[in-house]
């Protein structure tokens, strides 16, 4: 909503990662290769190979009781999700540390939280042992009420899957995710975690107990890309990251109103794109525009159904409302100012020119 508080954001247009608190330079960099940029001229590039490692993290102490994080992501075409031990990667997480210790959630693998020390939830591609197939996203969550089928000393996070049918995580394609955690009121089980994938809510886990003290808050986000012993050299790209806390405890719109375009901007479609009479997935479908179609922004943005919509006057075909996820700013190529070359041939036989 308009009164939500932006905690942190990075569109990766600054050319560096100076906004972050924890940066592993062997893994993370900024790319300006436009084929791997969702919007603008820069995106985060994560390198995954046998030698790269480490995190990209941000703290916001002392923290918040509810945090949304949204970003665009693209896994390299043909991405193989398998590390040397046969399992898949740990991708991105939100962590709850003690307000007096920003490291209380670190190094807690295999430990069930006790309600006063930490909590965390990791957004991972689902995995099957020794199968590198890139599968739909799920949560891998550490919370006090999690089940522990093994001994308490080996209590690993619980997997929370999408509501069927799970949305495929297709490599080589940009996807938009929104990841929400709401900490519980102390003494109650009113916490939650949610996932929206390309504007559709796919996980909504309610009635959770994350903590037994207000000294635990959401105060850290982190890209892990934990993939030790990766056989292949692969990449994942991230763009347009924003973290925010809602203005009230009621469920707000999951995506803040966009500032991606302005009125009269020239835009270009990056995929086949629906055009609707109103800014809604239920709006009358007027038609579609093919990849690389140009148009001009004449209205918007409007946030509906988990998408930001813009009213567009396309150069050809139908006009109307389209989602911004498959639109980019269009900059006309510079005109050719090279002076023409003129070739003259000397006349023959005393001809008059």
């Amino acid at each position: 909503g308009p009164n939500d508080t932006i905690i942190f954001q990075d569109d990766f247009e600054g050319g560096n990662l100076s906004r972050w608190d924890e940066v592993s330079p062997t893994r993370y960099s900024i790319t300006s290769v436009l084929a791997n940029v969702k919007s603008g001229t820069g995106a985060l590039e994560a390198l995954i190979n046998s030698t790269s490692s480490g995190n990209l993290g941000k703290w916001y102490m002392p923290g918040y009781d509810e945090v949304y994080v949204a970003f665009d992501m693209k896994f390299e075409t043909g991405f193989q999700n398998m590390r040397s031990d046969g399992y898949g990667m740990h991708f991105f997480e939100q962590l709850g540390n003690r307000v007096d210790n920003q490291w209380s959630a670190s190094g807690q693998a295999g430990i069930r939280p006790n309600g006063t020390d930490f909590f965390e939830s990791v957004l991972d591609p689902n995995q099957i042992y020794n199968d590198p197939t890139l599968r739909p996203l799920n949560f891998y969550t550490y919370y006090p009420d999690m089940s522990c089928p093994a001994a308490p000393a080996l209590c690993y996070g619980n997997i929370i899957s999408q509501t069927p049918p799970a949305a495929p995580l297709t490599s080589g394609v940009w996807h938009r995710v929104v990841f929400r955690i709401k900490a519980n009121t102390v003494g109650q089980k009113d916490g939650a975690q949610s996932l929206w994938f390309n504007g559709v809510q796919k996980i909504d886990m309610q009635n959770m107990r994350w903590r037994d003290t207000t000294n635990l808050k959401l105060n850290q986000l982190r890209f892990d890309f934990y993939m030790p012993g990766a056989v292949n050299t692969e990449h994942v790209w991230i763009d347009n990251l924003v973290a925010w806390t809602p203005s009230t405890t009621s469920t707000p719109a999951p995506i803040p109103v966009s500032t991606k375009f302005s009125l009269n901007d020239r835009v270009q479609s990056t995929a086949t794109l629906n055009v609707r009479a109103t800014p809604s997935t239920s709006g009358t479908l007027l038609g579609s525009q093919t990849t690389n179609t140009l148009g001009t922004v004449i209205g918007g943005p409007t946030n509906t159904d988990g998408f930001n919509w813009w009213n567009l006057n396309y150069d050809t075909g139908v006009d109307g409302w389209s989602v911004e996820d498959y639109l980019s700013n269009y900059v006309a190529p510079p005109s050719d100012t090279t002076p023409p070359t003129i070739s003259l041939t000397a006349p023959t036989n005393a001809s008059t020119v």
Side-chain angles (χ1 to χ4, degrees), residues 20 28 44 54-56 71 91-92 222-225 238 241:
W20 297 79
Y28 302 99
L44 173 68
N55 304 322
L56 181 69
F71 54 86
F91 171 40
F92 173 82
R222 187 172 73 195
F223 287 101
D224 294 329
F225 290 105
I238 306 293
L241 181 142

Side-chain angles (χ1 to χ4, degrees), residues 34-308:
L34 293 182
N36 299 321
V37 174
K38 181 64 171 66
S39 63
T41 59
L44 173 68
E45 180 173 277
L47 168 66
I48 299 168
N49 60 21
S50 60
T51 59
S52 67
S53 63
N55 304 322
L56 181 69
K58 180 68 180 180
W59 281 272
Y60 25 91
M61 304 294 288
Y64 300 87
D65 294 326
E66 185 175 8
V67 173
Y68 288 74
V69 182
F71 54 86
D72 298 305
M73 63 179 185
K74 183 175 76 167
F75 285 73
E76 187 170 359
T77 300
F79 190 92
Q80 299 288 289
N81 181 33
M82 191 168 72
R83 57 199 201 204
S84 59
D85 63 2
Y87 293 99
M89 70 154 59
H90 291 310
F91 171 40
F92 173 82
E93 59 185 309
Q94 289 203 60
L95 302 98
N97 297 278
R98 289 187 56 86
V99 298
D100 57 358
N101 179 9
Q102 71 180 53
W103 298 100
S104 72
S106 298
Q108 299 283 17
I111 299 174
R112 177 162 53 186
N114 63 23
T116 65
D117 50 359
F118 80 101
F119 61 85
E120 63 182 288
S121 191
V122 190
L123 185 63
D124 288 340
N126 194 10
Q127 54 186 272
I128 295 177
Y129 183 69
N130 271 340
D131 183 346
T133 303
L134 190 62
R135 299 181 184 278
L137 295 172
N138 57 220
F139 287 140
Y140 175 69
T141 304
Y142 281 80
Y143 61 111
D145 294 325
M146 65 192 242
S147 61
C148 290
L154 297 172
C155 189
Y156 290 98
N158 287 182
I159 294 175
I160 293 90
S161 300
Q162 296 183 32
T163 301
L169 178 55
T170 307
S171 65
V173 176
W174 283 102
H175 302 283
R176 183 74 172 172
V177 297
V178 181
F179 175 9
R180 171 211 183 204
I181 293 181
K182 177 180 178 289
N184 62 290
T185 305
V186 172
Q188 301 182 40
K189 291 187 176 183
D190 58 357
Q193 63 176 344
S194 308
L195 171 68
W196 288 263
F197 186 83
N198 291 336
V200 178
Q201 189 171 35
K202 298 304 297 180
I203 299 177
D204 184 24
M205 187 175 182
Q206 300 289 329
N207 305 314
M208 296 184 68
R209 177 174 69 98
W210 293 100
R211 61 184 181 177
D212 296 326
T213 172
T214 55
N215 287 330
L216 275 181
K217 289 185 178 292
L218 290 155
N219 44 32
Q220 184 184 4
L221 61 84
R222 187 172 73 195
F223 287 101
D224 294 329
F225 290 105
Y226 180 73
M227 195 89 155
V231 177
N232 299 323
T233 296
E234 305 179 297
H235 301 85
V236 180
W237 296 278
I238 306 293
D239 209 349
N240 303 313
L241 181 142
V242 58
W244 72 97
T245 189
S247 56
T248 68
T249 56
S250 60
T251 303
I255 301 177
V257 173
S258 174
T259 57
K260 185 174 181 179
F261 305 121
S262 300
L263 288 179
N264 300 315
D265 275 3
R266 294 284 288 164
V267 298
Q268 183 174 31
S269 60
T270 60
T272 299
L273 188 59
N274 287 334
V275 182
R276 297 186 181 274
T278 55
S280 170
T281 55
S282 60
T284 301
L285 181 63
L286 302 177
S288 62
Q289 294 285 1
T290 58
T291 305
N292 297 325
T293 300
L294 301 181
T296 301
V297 175
I298 60 173
T302 296
N303 184 290
T304 310
D305 301 328
F307 293 98
N308 285 306

